[in-house]
Amino acid sequence: MTFRRQLIASAALAAATFALPLAAQAQTILKAADVHPPGYPTVVATESLGKKLEAATKGKFKMQMYPGSVLGDEKTMIEQTQIGAINILRTSLGPVGAVVPDVNVFNMPFVFRNEAHMRAVIDGPIGQEILDKVSNGPTRMVALAWMDGGSRHLYTKKPVKTPADLKGVKVRMMGNPLFVDTMNAMGGNGISMGYGEVFSALQTGVIDGAENNPPSLFTSNHYTTGTKYYAQTNHLIIPEMLVMSRVTWDKLSKEEQALVKKFGREAQFEQRALWDKSVADYTVKLKAAGVQFTEVDQKLFFDATAPVRAKYGAPYADLMKRIADVK
Ligand code: GTR
């Protein structure tokens, strides 16, 4: 080998040796989970966060998404997040309220006038306070951002227009006593159950209905089980949360934490745009599949649920007033 060639060879070797530790740099896989299927707005926005984080950290972090409840229902996934087995979780605030009662203010029936009101609240100081309650509480989760869950309406096998029509009707609610109380106050029989169990419970007649937003009603296929009456009750407008396990968070550098927060906040607004489109699209699909959207007198359900707001809202009277005051 000539001297020149030798030089080139050793330079190449040096470069390769130098490159080795970089290439072999341990990559941290972040497990992210969601009950919704691939392509759902929350899943897409969470994946975006992962891609941005991977690019910004030159591949140090890589997100692996586990959609479609493959890691369990939301209650189980919250527990897995608390111990660090799941690193990033997108969950409804509903089951979080069972762990952090303070967030139940947002889980109360008719606490928001409409979705625009809900967005104004979560985007402002009250929204930040509730995120902080989760991060600073004993939950072992760091709340990164909000996502949209639209308005929840009732779907049943027989038409429902008034609370009286719900007599004897078994309706699945999310796992949080507040929701069972809500359905009972609305006139039905609230039954708490994980999202993944609802389809077969509807099929076998264990329950007669459930309640959710149009994208969930469609993608869960619940509408195929005979629940074709969709009463537009708007009884719950529950924001959703993107959280990181504190176990994971504590292992990040300050800079990495700032990146996760920044991309989380961006995911909030990306999801919102996708959400609006998805509600419109799935409404069309549900109607085409024969689901009957029925307008109801919401005041009847609002009045019926007053005891629930009184019971769960009592410790948060000031906060409820502040929420009502947000324009
Ligand atoms: C959906 C929500 C999920 C889950 C589900 C349910 O609207 O996005 O996080 O809470 O409802 O009813 O369990």
Side-chain angles (χ1 to χ4, degrees):
M1 199 184 277
T2 64
F3 180 65
R4 204 177 116 78
R5 280 216 176 139
Q6 232 171 8
L7 257 187
I8 293 171
S10 51
L13 186 71
T17 329
F18 181 67
L20 241 187
L22 272 187
Q25 182 192 28
Q27 191 175 49
T28 304
I29 299 293
L30 295 176
K31 265 184 158 180
D34 197 314
V35 292
H36 291 303
Y40 202 87
T42 51
V43 175
V44 173
T46 306
E47 283 169 341
S48 269
L49 180 161
K51 282 182 204 136
K52 288 181 192 171
L53 191 64
E54 183 176 348
T57 61
K58 302 200 170 48
K60 178 172 172 194
F61 296 97
K62 190 176 175 64
M63 183 184 281
Q64 248 163 34
M65 175 57 80
Y66 293 81
S69 292
V70 289
L71 300 183
D73 62 19
E74 278 181 346
K75 179 176 180 289
T76 312
M77 293 200 295
I78 289 171
E79 288 161 4
Q80 295 291 305
T81 307
Q82 290 180 299
I83 60 168
I86 290 174
N87 308 110
I88 295 182
L89 174 66
R90 197 291 311 162
T91 173
S92 166
L93 199 63
V96 178
V99 188
V100 195
D102 276 353
V103 308
N104 274 334
V105 180
F106 282 7
N107 283 330
M108 271 186 281
F110 299 103
V111 70
F112 299 113
R113 290 186 298 275
N114 48 42
E115 289 176 30
H117 179 215
M118 182 273 284
R119 288 177 177 180
V121 173
I122 60 172
D123 290 348
I126 302 177
Q128 189 57 48
E129 279 168 38
I130 300 286
L131 291 176
D132 292 345
K133 283 239 161 75
V134 172
S135 303
N136 302 331
T139 55
R140 306 200 50 70
M141 298 191 298
V142 175
L144 304 176
W146 292 108
M147 289 199 178
D148 236 281
S151 299
R152 296 175 80 102
H153 314 290
L154 192 69
Y155 49 94
T156 46
K157 294 181 184 175
K158 62 165 209 165
V160 169
K161 289 207 89 170
T162 66
D165 296 334
L166 270 171
K167 194 166 168 23
V169 178
K170 289 172 280 173
V171 182
R172 176 270 174 172
M173 302 300 285
M174 282 189 283
N176 181 334
L178 162 54
F179 300 133
V180 173
D181 284 358
T182 298
M183 184 42 60
N184 294 345
M186 283 170 71
N189 293 350
I191 295 181
S192 160
M193 188 182 285
Y195 193 47
E197 295 162 59
V198 181
F199 183 82
S200 62
L202 284 168
Q203 267 187 331
T204 54
V206 169
I207 50 173
D208 309 306
E211 42 81 63
N212 224 315
N213 51 55
S216 293
L217 174 54
F218 189 87
T219 55
S220 63
N221 283 321
H222 294 170
Y223 72 99
T224 64
T225 63
T227 53
K228 67 171 189 170
Y229 299 100
Y230 197 25
Q232 303 299 290
T233 45
N234 279 288
H235 57 286
L236 291 169
I237 302 180
I238 305 180
E240 320 216 306
M241 213 174 235
L242 189 65
V243 298
M244 180 174 249
S245 168
R246 182 157 291 281
V247 180
T248 314
W249 180 260
D250 287 346
K251 288 184 189 148
L252 302 184
S253 68
K254 285 270 164 299
E255 293 72 29
E256 289 161 356
Q257 290 178 347
L259 283 176
V260 170
K261 278 242 159 109
K262 176 174 180 279
F263 298 146
R265 183 82 179 160
E266 288 171 14
Q268 170 165 336
F269 294 99
E270 178 179 349
Q271 191 268 352
R272 184 170 294 177
L274 292 171
W275 179 257
D276 287 339
K277 189 175 176 313
S278 121
V279 172
D281 290 351
Y282 286 121
T283 296
V284 171
K285 287 187 179 160
L286 286 167
K287 286 183 176 168
V291 173
Q292 296 182 22
F293 286 57
T294 320
E295 292 308 323
V296 299
D297 181 358
Q298 289 174 20
K299 182 150 187 322
L300 296 176
F301 294 95
F302 174 84
D303 290 346
T305 51
V308 180
R309 285 185 296 282
K311 176 177 166 188
Y312 289 91
Y316 308 105
D318 286 352
L319 185 52
M320 300 234 325
K321 165 131 195 7
R322 283 175 61 216
I323 292 174
D325 287 347
V326 174
K327 293 281 165 289

